[in-house]
Amino acid sequence: MVTIWWGVLGLLLGGYFALAGYDYGVGMLLPALSRDEAGQRRVLGAVGPFFLANEVWLVAAVGVLFGAFPHLEGRVFAGAYVLIVLLLLGLVTFTAAVQLRSRHPEGNRRGWTFAITAGALVTAVSWGLFLGNLVRGLPLDAQGRPVDDVLALFNPYAVLWGLGFVALFCLQGLVFLAVRGPAEIAGRVRRLTRSFLLPVGVFLVTATVWGAFSGGSWAALAVVAVAFAAYLTVLFGLRRPRLALPAIMLLSACPALLVGVLRFPVVLSSNAGYQLTVDQAATTPDMAAVLGWFAAPTLLVLVVVQWLTWRAHRRPVDEKSLLHY
Amino acid sequence: MDPLPIARLQFATTTTFHFLFVLLTLGLVTMVAIMQTRATLRGGEQLHRMTAFWGRLYVVNYALGIVTGIVMEFQFGMTWTELSAFAGDVFGAPLAIETLVAFFLESTFLGVWIFGRGRMNKWLHLAVLWLVTLTAYASALFIMVANSFLQNPVGSRMENGVLRLDDFGALFANPALVASLPHVIGAALLTGGFFVTGVSAYHFLKRTSEIDFFRRSLRIGVVTSLIGSVLVVQAGFAQFAEVAGYQPDKFKGSVAVGLPLGMMINIGFFAFFAALVGTLLLFRDRLLRARPVLILMVPGIAVPFIAAILGWLVREIGRQPWLVWGKLRTADAVADVSGGQILFSFIAFTLLFAVLAVADWVLLARIAKRGPAVAAAETELPVLSGV
């Protein structure tokens, strides 16, 4: 039962990265993709219909983390405090700026555009730093309390992940735009895509080789294999964006899945030897059952509604598209 | 540096910002849903334009509700580590259900509504808006269930130093919930009603040419304010009997609780009489010519927000020093994060929220002032806009 909830959490977090990852990529590259206002609105309009739905996968994931794993939530957020703060600052700036940017027709939008780009960048870097730290082991003492050493969170391995996530989300945003972006930026998207392929590949190889020294499980090996397969599909499937897009979405979900299975059933470990298992982290079975009654139908409705949204807006943005953002 | 006061201040600030936005969200979405229902049933261009104009303001306000809500959700783990460890087995479920059922669904449906305008079957589009409304109310329900548990931890027992769930149903029959939920919903309707009334009054003061548009809006605003104020006052007083049962000493001699309480009650009565006078003046549209009343209605937009913050202070300060009443002290729940780090995040969050809130309100004011006519003209731009 506990394992199933761990899987639900993995599904929600994986879904969040698979979907919201391209929001951040598009956000980071917005000024590079189009200079004029109408063009930038069409770029934002590409993610528009999915934007709100994408972002709240994280809210749902944290809700399940709190509800199903109350003994993990506090440890992990307090343990990476500064990174979570950075993440939230980026996330809030980005999410608010996307929603408010185009709401007034005569308003000056340069500030909002900057907020979108900067917010998306901070979000991507913070996610990379956070997950990188989880792979390596959070800087907690032997009792699982955070050590008062902010710089420990910015260790070289985590910084590699921070930079890697920027490249990964940018590539994801570009592959997404190849499917749904406006026709006039297709050439620019292709050129930028080529320049991000190598950094993502370097990140994958370096993170794997470097991370292999800290050990892992067979399941982790499987996730890494899936990640490389997805990367190769993107690499050789660029001419078929509808194949490359699911592949890069899968690739973006892999880091979170890796963290989930790396030392399973240990779900949180520190570099000072603290370990928390999934059973210790979980809530009581009756509470999990209550949660299940609400979560199962909700997730079903969500997947159906979001799938229908995808189908309704699968064509590239053109002059007839509703843009809103 | 002691992390406790800063962590409390940080959570209080985040919650205050969140509350300011979600209250208006809940009130406005109800009115927009009613407008769109009438538009769909009877047809008529005017009601569709009203749905679009007030819906546009609703969507702008919604943005800040989302982002402050995300930060609140994370803060439970970031600074109140022991709360989830101690009470997570009971408190976690309503909070998780709130995010899953309400937040997640609400945003998904809202996206469908925004981008479905004019492109979906009109009945389906209406149903989507009602789903947004229902999930918003579900959100209020579950978050109040969670909050009421902190005020009065029912349905649970202590076991090995942590709280365990006995009866999930008891969380919904909590005396701390039964009167406070209608009180909060009344406050939301009042806030939305005063907002629509105030904006409409502004346009009459500016001698708008959209007389029919704002006459109808004003009616909806005034009537909603009346319903909201009756609910808020009635449920407000009903809480005294309930609170006496679970926090008997709450109102005894504490200035920190008594002062905001007195102010809130006065504002509540004022709002009720104002809404009553407004409703009486609706006969034969006398209100449209009563300029002194219209002038008062514009700054009146702020009044329910002030009352709401005061009410929230009464409820939460009255709970101290307990985080979970009688079970877990706030001081024992704070995380082992250093005071310096929490100070950094407190300053950063507060500055960011302040900038975004001001930007959001300026945007709301500009869109409200511009009125519906120009809003329609925006579709003439090279790119189309939704709501």
Side-chain angles (χ1 to χ4, degrees):
Chain A
M1 195 63 202
V2 170
T3 313
I4 293 175
W5 276 107
W6 192 245
V8 171
L9 182 60
L11 179 82
L12 289 171
L13 257 189
Y16 163 71
F17 284 110
L19 294 164
Y22 61 72
D23 292 353
Y24 306 135
V26 170
M28 281 187 279
L29 295 170
L30 184 60
L33 287 165
S34 183
R35 294 257 166 239
D36 64 290
E37 172 59 22
Q40 290 192 347
R41 283 210 67 179
R42 278 194 286 273
V43 172
L44 283 173
V47 292
F50 322 115
F51 178 76
L52 279 177
N54 290 350
E55 295 297 317
V56 285
W57 280 74
L58 175 65
V59 182
V62 177
V64 165
L65 178 62
F66 195 96
F69 301 98
H71 308 282
L72 170 63
E73 202 233 11
R75 296 255 176 256
V76 67
F77 286 170
Y81 191 83
V82 171
L83 295 184
I84 300 295
V85 172
L86 284 181
L87 169 67
L88 289 173
L89 292 174
L91 208 58
V92 165
T93 307
F94 173 74
T95 313
V98 169
Q99 291 183 75
L100 298 179
R101 178 186 181 278
S102 312
R103 295 279 54 82
H104 197 276
E106 296 105 40
N108 186 351
R109 289 163 182 179
R110 224 173 283 164
W112 288 121
T113 307
F114 175 76
I116 289 174
T117 310
L121 183 67
V122 172
T123 306
V125 172
S126 310
W127 270 125
L129 285 167
F130 179 53
L131 293 181
N133 268 300
L134 288 180
V135 168
R136 190 172 159 271
L138 272 183
L140 307 171
D141 67 15
Q143 277 76 46
R145 287 186 302 244
V147 294
D148 192 13
D149 179 8
V150 174
L151 288 180
L153 292 165
F154 295 86
N155 57 77
Y157 186 67
V159 171
L160 168 75
W161 275 60
L163 298 174
F165 264 55
V166 174
L168 182 60
F169 288 162
C170 281
L171 184 63
Q172 193 180 352
L174 290 163
V175 174
F176 170 81
L177 285 175
V179 175
R180 215 185 112 76
E184 82 256 15
I185 59 162
R188 198 167 293 168
V189 167
R190 263 198 301 278
R191 277 195 302 280
L192 280 167
T193 306
R194 267 183 244 122
S195 58
F196 276 104
L197 280 170
L198 184 65
V200 172
V202 170
F203 164 59
L204 284 182
V205 173
T206 325
T208 306
V209 173
W210 194 346
F213 291 110
S214 59
S217 60
W218 286 106
L221 194 64
V223 173
V224 171
V226 168
F228 275 98
Y231 176 71
L232 292 174
T233 311
V234 176
L235 195 60
F236 294 108
L238 278 182
R239 285 175 192 285
R240 286 152 65 197
R242 279 173 191 274
L243 175 73
L245 183 58
I248 188 99
M249 286 167 71
L250 181 64
L251 177 57
S252 280
C254 280
L257 300 180
L258 175 73
V259 169
V261 300
L262 190 60
R263 300 182 186 90
F264 194 82
V266 170
V267 291
L268 180 68
S269 59
S270 85
N271 44 14
Y274 172 78
Q275 291 201 319
L276 186 76
T277 67
V278 71
D279 287 314
Q280 291 168 327
T283 185
T284 53
D286 44 348
M287 201 72 245
V290 169
L291 204 54
W293 281 106
F294 286 92
T298 305
L299 288 178
L300 190 69
V301 170
L302 274 172
V303 169
V304 171
V305 172
Q306 295 205 359
W307 175 254
L308 290 175
T309 308
W310 261 96
R311 283 200 47 91
H313 299 278
R314 64 188 183 280
R315 304 238 167 271
V317 167
D318 57 26
E319 61 279 3
K320 287 202 243 19
S321 303
L322 209 57
L323 296 175
H324 186 68
Y325 293 125
Chain B
M1 200 184 305
D2 184 9
L4 179 65
I6 315 169
R8 280 184 61 190
L9 208 54
Q10 171 171 278
F11 195 77
T13 310
T14 309
T15 316
T16 306
F17 276 112
H18 183 64
F19 201 30
L20 287 175
F21 289 96
V22 291
L23 208 59
L24 182 58
T25 295
L26 198 60
L28 257 186
V29 74
T30 315
M31 281 183 274
V32 175
I34 291 171
M35 287 174 197
Q36 188 169 344
T37 307
R38 291 169 63 182
T40 312
L41 284 173
R42 294 198 210 145
E45 183 59 18
Q46 199 66 290
L47 281 162
H48 280 292
R49 292 177 71 228
M50 282 163 67
T51 310
F53 175 70
W54 298 108
R56 171 184 289 259
L57 291 167
Y58 157 69
V59 165
V60 169
N61 183 67
Y62 183 84
L64 268 265
I66 275 205
V67 293
T68 47
I70 293 176
V71 176
M72 257 179 85
E73 191 190 16
F74 272 86
Q75 270 184 24
F76 282 114
M78 290 162 68
T79 46
W80 307 108
T81 311
E82 292 310 310
L83 172 64
S84 55
F86 174 77
D89 292 335
V90 190
F91 177 75
L95 205 67
I97 294 168
E98 196 264 338
T99 61
L100 267 173
V101 178
F103 210 147
F104 200 8
L105 282 176
E106 187 183 0
S107 279
T108 304
F109 289 134
L110 181 61
V112 175
W113 184 71
I114 291 173
F115 285 89
R117 174 174 295 276
R119 326 226 144 177
M120 276 168 86
N121 175 295
K122 63 174 185 175
W123 297 102
L124 192 60
H125 193 242
L126 177 65
V128 168
L129 180 58
W130 275 108
L131 284 170
V132 174
T133 312
L134 285 179
T135 46
Y137 277 90
S139 191
L141 166 68
F142 283 109
I143 208 68
M144 288 304 289
V145 166
N147 176 274
S148 299
F149 175 79
L150 300 183
Q151 303 285 345
N152 181 28
V154 293
S156 57
R157 75 193 123 83
M158 285 280 272
E159 195 180 287
N160 304 327
V162 297
L163 286 180
R164 294 274 184 236
L165 180 75
D166 274 333
D167 179 6
F168 189 62
L171 298 181
F172 292 84
N174 193 341
L177 174 73
V178 288
S180 66
L181 180 66
H183 185 64
V184 166
I185 290 174
L189 292 176
L190 182 68
T191 310
F194 266 48
F195 179 79
V196 172
T197 305
V199 173
S200 305
Y202 170 85
H203 283 277
F204 282 117
L205 288 171
K206 291 280 163 192
R207 313 219 181 264
T208 175
S209 57
E210 294 273 359
I211 292 172
D212 183 50
F213 183 97
F214 284 111
R215 191 180 59 87
R216 289 188 185 201
S217 299
L218 190 65
R219 277 180 174 271
I220 295 176
V222 169
V223 172
T224 309
S225 304
L226 185 66
I227 296 170
S229 63
V230 170
L231 194 59
V232 87
V233 171
Q234 188 273 333
F237 280 104
Q239 281 190 82
F240 280 108
E242 305 286 358
V243 172
Y246 62 86
Q247 291 176 4
D249 297 329
K250 181 163 186 158
F251 302 122
K252 286 186 188 145
S254 163
V255 180
V257 177
L259 191 65
L261 179 70
M263 287 167 71
M264 172 177 65
I265 291 174
N266 283 326
I267 293 176
F269 278 126
F270 163 77
F272 170 66
F273 285 116
L276 195 63
V277 170
T279 310
L280 293 174
L281 284 175
L282 285 181
F283 287 109
R284 299 189 178 185
D285 287 329
R286 289 215 171 91
L287 187 53
L288 308 193
R289 292 179 293 278
R291 285 184 79 83
V293 182
L294 293 176
I295 289 172
L296 287 176
M297 281 173 164
V298 180
I301 293 174
V303 169
F305 290 103
I306 298 167
I309 297 305
L310 293 170
W312 175 75
L313 285 176
V314 171
R315 188 164 170 98
E316 303 304 332
I317 292 178
R319 193 188 58 206
Q320 297 303 329
W322 299 100
L323 180 49
V324 181
W325 184 259
K327 311 274 185 192
L328 179 70
R329 285 179 187 277
T330 313
D332 296 331
V334 73
D336 296 308
V337 179
S338 73
Q341 288 183 41
I342 300 183
L343 185 65
F344 154 71
S345 64
F346 168 62
I347 293 171
F349 284 140
T350 307
L351 286 178
L352 181 60
F353 288 154
V355 169
L356 287 176
V358 169
D360 193 274
W361 284 323
V362 168
L363 212 50
L364 276 176
R366 291 174 68 181
I367 296 170
K369 279 183 182 175
R370 203 162 42 114
V374 200
E378 196 183 346
T379 49
E380 310 291 319
L381 290 175
V383 285
L384 294 178
S385 180
V387 176

